[in-house]
Amino acid sequence: MRWVDAWNDLAAIVGDARDKPCLLPDGCVVTVEECEAWLQNSAYEGYTVQVEAGWVGHRRGVIASRRADAGI
């Protein structure tokens, strides 16, 4: 499943610091747990999801993104 890879990437980025903020494409800043749910829901809606390390405000965090699959 597509979201499993993104969850693994997310875990690698946050490590033990699960208090890192996650920025969603709509500008919302959420917790790691909320980001995991967003990734899973987005994949079920047919999107390809991705996360990368980046700056969220003035803190190191996670930038989440999604794109529509070409085959859908």
Side-chain angles (χ1 to χ4, degrees), residues 7-71:
W7 272 32
N8 290 337
D9 292 344
L10 179 63
I13 293 168
V14 300
D16 292 332
R18 293 193 53 88
D19 64 337
K20 287 188 178 183
C22 179
L23 178 64
L24 300 181
D26 65 0
C28 290
V29 177
V30 299
T31 66
V32 170
E33 291 79 14
E34 292 169 318
C35 188
E36 288 171 337
W38 180 87
L39 291 166
Q40 185 175 6
N41 290 337
S42 293
Y44 284 142
E45 292 172 6
Y47 292 96
T48 298
V49 293
Q50 178 181 347
V51 294
E52 61 186 346
W55 288 97
V56 178
H58 64 284
R59 295 180 60 197
R60 294 294 293 165
V62 180
I63 309 298
S65 61
R66 69 183 184 182
R67 65 177 173 76
D69 282 342

